[in-house]
Amino acid sequence: MALLSPPSQMDYYRVLGLDPKLQLDRNELQQLFYQRSRELHPDRFARAEASVRDAALLESSLLNDAYRTLRDPLARAEYVLKQGGFDISLQGTKDVPPELLEEVFELNMALEELKAGDESARPQLTTARDNFEAMLAQSSIELDKLFTAYDAAPGEESLKPIRALLNRRRYIQNLLRDVNGYLSN
């Protein structure tokens, strides 16, 4: 099989021969990855010219990056957002719903009490951890629905709620990390 070129013009979906969708069949993705890996493996081009060997290395690297990104739904969504021109590094509080801010306030109070040696705050932190884990599980369900909506009508308007939900998830994951850190001490 001929190498695809130039690799710099390829996107992750194209390198795997997929339509740019957010809902992907993991088994199909894995099979396509294995197939393309066999086709592009640099060892197949060991006797070729240096430029072909270099291209094989680049494409094999791109294929691995594509597979790692597209097999993870969150990384896939961030990739599509980035491809759609969204700055995914922005992590403000504007997308955090007010009910979460109340939860953060209560969490900070419990953390201060625990730092001051008040062990009675520990059950509150356990409850907060359980709530944050439930929020993450619920956001996964919501994200799945948003992926389906995007695939039905791709575009900027379909990506905005995905970005907002991903920001919310990051916020919750950070809170969960903090709570788990305090509970493990």
Side-chain angles (χ1 to χ4, degrees):
M1 166 131 203
L3 292 173
L4 301 169
S5 61
S8 62
Q9 295 176 354
M10 303 267 311
D11 71 34
Y12 289 167
Y13 286 97
R14 186 163 173 238
V15 77
L16 283 158
L18 292 167
D19 291 330
K21 303 269 185 191
L22 284 172
Q23 294 282 11
L24 294 178
D25 180 319
R26 287 185 64 111
N27 290 331
E28 179 186 7
L29 177 65
Q30 187 176 36
Q31 291 304 313
L32 288 170
F33 171 70
Y34 290 151
Q35 177 186 346
R36 294 293 293 150
S37 290
R38 284 189 292 273
E39 293 170 356
L40 297 174
H41 197 280
D43 289 349
R44 295 192 65 200
F45 302 94
R47 295 183 182 181
E49 295 177 22
S51 63
V52 173
R53 288 192 312 266
D54 290 345
L57 280 172
L58 284 173
E59 290 190 25
S60 183
S61 176
L62 178 64
L63 177 66
N64 289 328
D65 290 345
Y67 181 65
R68 268 192 302 272
T69 300
L70 297 181
R71 75 177 175 191
D72 175 356
L74 299 177
R76 183 184 326 131
E78 288 180 350
Y79 174 75
V80 170
L81 285 167
K82 190 174 178 185
Q83 294 294 100
F86 286 85
D87 183 357
I88 59 171
S89 64
L90 291 177
Q91 176 69 35
T93 58
K94 67 180 182 180
D95 295 326
V96 179
E99 69 271 12
L100 194 55
L101 292 175
E102 287 180 32
E103 188 109 11
V104 170
F105 175 76
E106 294 297 325
L107 173 66
N108 285 332
M109 295 300 291
L111 289 175
E112 288 301 318
E113 291 169 12
L114 190 62
K115 283 182 196 173
D118 183 359
E119 285 293 319
S120 69
R122 193 169 288 277
Q124 188 177 352
L125 290 178
T126 301
T127 300
R129 180 191 60 204
D130 295 345
N131 288 341
F132 294 142
E133 288 174 345
M135 287 177 190
L136 284 178
Q138 181 60 38
S139 73
S140 292
I141 294 168
E142 293 171 26
L143 201 54
D144 196 50
K145 291 176 184 174
L146 292 174
F147 283 6
T148 300
Y150 172 81
D151 288 346
E156 185 178 335
E157 290 305 313
S158 299
L159 288 175
K160 286 179 182 176
I162 292 171
R163 183 176 93 169
L165 186 55
L166 289 178
N167 282 343
R168 185 174 189 262
R169 282 185 60 94
R170 274 192 220 109
Y171 197 87
I172 294 168
Q173 286 170 326
N174 289 339
L175 293 172
L176 186 58
R177 182 196 62 227
D178 292 346
V179 169
N180 283 330
Y182 280 102
L183 288 175
S184 66
N185 291 330

